[in-house]
Amino acid sequence: METSKIFIGYIIYLPIAITLTYFVSKTLFRNGKTFMIDIFKGKDDIALATNRLFEVGFYLLNIGWALLILKIDNYRFNDTYQNLIEILSFKIGGFSIYLGLMLFLNMYLFFRGRKKSKQKIPVVTQVIKPQSPNV
């Protein structure tokens, strides 16, 4: 009986974790596209490619983490539906907090990249004095 309730927990947890990851990713990288275009100074092809690579990395990292923390048995599951709901709320709540932190980390990186791209790089010029011939 315990195994079937754990399986029900997995059936509930996985779609929620994947949907949350999808929603946060789409929101972040749809809006992050503007930052990337600004950071890469209008070079749309590079900006969009970089944004897409960040999005794929975001998916891999977050879905990987969701799968890594999947195991319900680690939470002293005692074969009741009440315990299953409590464990799921803890897992989904913790994963939501983790996704929020990842969102803010990515926003920080977007803002930092934008700030760096706006800084003027000092141009160093070197004056070369002609050498007088040695006689």
Side-chain angles (χ1 to χ4, degrees):
M1 185 72 160
E2 179 180 324
T3 307
S4 66
K5 286 182 184 164
I6 289 176
F7 184 72
I8 291 169
Y10 294 155
I11 297 297
I12 294 170
Y13 170 77
L14 281 173
I16 291 173
I18 292 170
T19 302
L20 280 172
T21 302
Y22 177 80
F23 174 73
V24 171
S25 176
K26 285 301 171 192
T27 301
L28 177 64
F29 292 102
R30 181 181 51 235
N31 296 312
K33 185 176 10 176
T34 305
F35 285 98
M36 286 298 200
I37 290 171
D38 189 37
I39 290 168
F40 286 100
K41 300 182 185 338
K43 296 177 184 171
D44 289 6
D45 53 342
I46 295 173
L48 296 176
T50 304
N51 194 50
R52 185 68 183 144
L53 289 171
F54 276 126
E55 184 177 7
V56 170
F58 188 85
Y59 278 124
L60 290 172
L61 187 64
N62 294 303
I63 290 175
W65 182 252
L67 292 171
L68 196 64
I69 64 169
L70 176 69
K71 192 170 182 179
I72 289 176
D73 216 15
N74 289 347
Y75 294 88
R76 297 189 182 131
F77 183 65
N78 63 13
D79 200 28
T80 65
Y81 285 110
Q82 176 187 353
N83 188 235
L84 179 62
I85 297 298
E86 290 169 355
I87 290 171
L88 285 174
S89 68
F90 182 79
K91 290 176 79 57
I92 293 168
F95 186 69
S96 296
I97 291 169
Y98 165 78
L99 277 177
L101 291 172
M102 292 301 292
L103 172 74
F104 285 119
L105 174 66
N106 275 280
M107 287 175 53
Y108 169 76
L109 293 174
F110 284 146
F111 284 121
R112 185 168 180 243
R114 186 168 186 258
K115 182 179 175 184
K116 289 278 187 186
S117 74
K118 296 291 182 194
Q119 289 177 349
K120 294 191 181 214
I121 300 171
V123 177
V124 178
T125 56
Q126 184 177 7
V127 178
I128 301 174
K129 295 181 182 179
Q131 296 180 355
S132 59
N134 294 335
V135 181

